[in-house]
Amino acid sequence: GNSVTQMEGPVTLSEEAFLTINCTYTATGYPSLFWYVQYPGEGLQLLLKATKADDKGSNKGFEATYRKETTSFHLEKGSVQVSDSAVYFCALSGSSNTGKLIFGQGTTLQVKP
Amino acid sequence: DADVTQTPRNRITKTGKRIMLECSQTKGHDRMYWYRQDPGLGLQLIYYSFDVKDINKGEISDGYSVSRQAQAKFSLSLESAIPNQTALYFCATSDSSGGAGDTQYFGPGTRLTVL
């Protein structure tokens, strides 16, 4: 079945450091891929998404490229801020039109001043 | 006002009690979902509904039931709560226009503790 694996956290960085959170997936067909972010005490919100191979999703300085050859969708940001401290979830939606999301386990990011 | 609201935000109950969690949305979306979040496990799908008459089980539906009272309302019930149902519960919505690429919009969550 479909699955998503993320790098384990927590990840602790200093402000302005480079961020990478790894995400790999297993899926049949052509899934859509997502990164959701959960700030403390809040629900999840979409950060970015990509719906086909080689697409790059981007938002708020974050980027991720849909790599079908490596089944990956790694999240990157060139310079993190304290306000980026949150839990980040990689997710996929299968190629059938159900809209169901399969989530990774989440990666906690803490950015220190 | 928030587009997706959940009530209550926090609830403590005892083993064996029946409890209902409610979700309302003003986004006009057809699709609604219930997830639970456990530490280190991400989110798991409990039930989902494509419209008022279309309700489907997710990965972990045992011990839960749902009701779609209207397009805007989707309730989750625990008929007889047990401690391992202690978790953070999220409701989400999406429209059906984009297929697998649809964005889901999440409520703020309900923290449920079963003693």
Side-chain angles (χ1 to χ4, degrees):
Chain A
N2 296 344
S3 66
V4 176
T5 302
Q6 289 180 236
M7 64 185 288
E8 290 193 17
V11 174
T12 302
L13 296 172
S14 297
E15 207 164 23
E16 299 183 1
F18 184 85
L19 169 71
T20 300
I21 300 178
N22 290 337
C23 172
T24 57
Y25 68 90
T26 301
T28 55
Y30 303 93
S32 293
L33 301 173
F34 304 80
W35 278 99
Y36 280 84
V37 58
Q38 183 180 28
Y39 298 104
E42 299 183 10
L44 282 72
Q45 56 185 272
L46 179 71
L47 182 58
L48 54 84
K49 69 180 180 182
T51 57
K52 61 182 186 294
D54 299 324
D55 270 2
K56 178 185 285 186
S58 62
N59 186 26
K60 300 181 181 179
F62 291 89
E63 294 183 339
T65 301
Y66 187 160
R67 303 282 189 202
K68 191 166 179 64
E69 64 275 15
T70 55
T71 61
S72 65
F73 193 54
H74 305 321
L75 182 68
E76 296 182 337
K77 186 175 185 181
S79 176
V80 294
Q81 306 300 313
V82 172
S83 57
D84 294 327
S85 298
V87 181
Y88 292 81
F89 292 93
C90 186
L92 72 80
S93 180
S95 53
S96 63
N97 189 24
T98 64
K100 292 191 295 180
L101 287 173
I102 305 296
F103 285 89
Q105 71 270 36
T107 302
T108 299
L109 170 65
Q110 183 177 18
V111 181
K112 296 186 174 180
Chain B
D1 288 339
D3 295 319
V4 184
T5 58
Q6 294 184 234
T7 56
R9 293 295 311 278
N10 289 282
R11 182 71 184 267
I12 299 174
T13 191
K14 294 182 178 180
T15 297
K17 295 291 188 181
R18 183 179 188 276
I19 186 165
M20 178 181 289
L21 310 182
E22 298 187 344
C23 175
S24 295
Q25 53 113 348
T26 58
K27 299 189 76 67
H29 289 166
D30 293 325
R31 300 184 174 193
M32 299 187 73
Y33 307 81
W34 274 106
Y35 294 91
R36 66 176 278 174
Q37 182 182 17
D38 296 281
L41 290 181
L43 278 72
Q44 296 173 278
L45 183 63
I46 307 172
Y47 271 94
Y48 61 104
S49 170
F50 287 169
D51 64 38
V52 174
K53 296 182 180 180
D54 185 356
I55 293 178
N56 305 277
K57 293 182 178 180
E59 306 164 272
I60 55 164
S61 58
D62 287 348
Y64 301 94
S65 62
V66 291
S67 173
R68 184 82 183 266
Q69 301 95 322
Q71 186 201 34
K73 295 185 182 295
F74 193 36
S75 299
L76 176 72
S77 293
L78 288 68
E79 297 300 326
S80 179
I82 56 176
N84 76 0
Q85 291 177 314
T86 293
L88 190 54
Y89 290 85
F90 287 104
C91 174
T93 74
S94 70
D95 67 26
S96 54
S97 61
D102 288 343
T103 297
Q104 291 191 15
Y105 297 86
F106 285 78
T110 294
R111 185 168 297 281
L112 176 66
T113 302
V114 183
L115 301 176

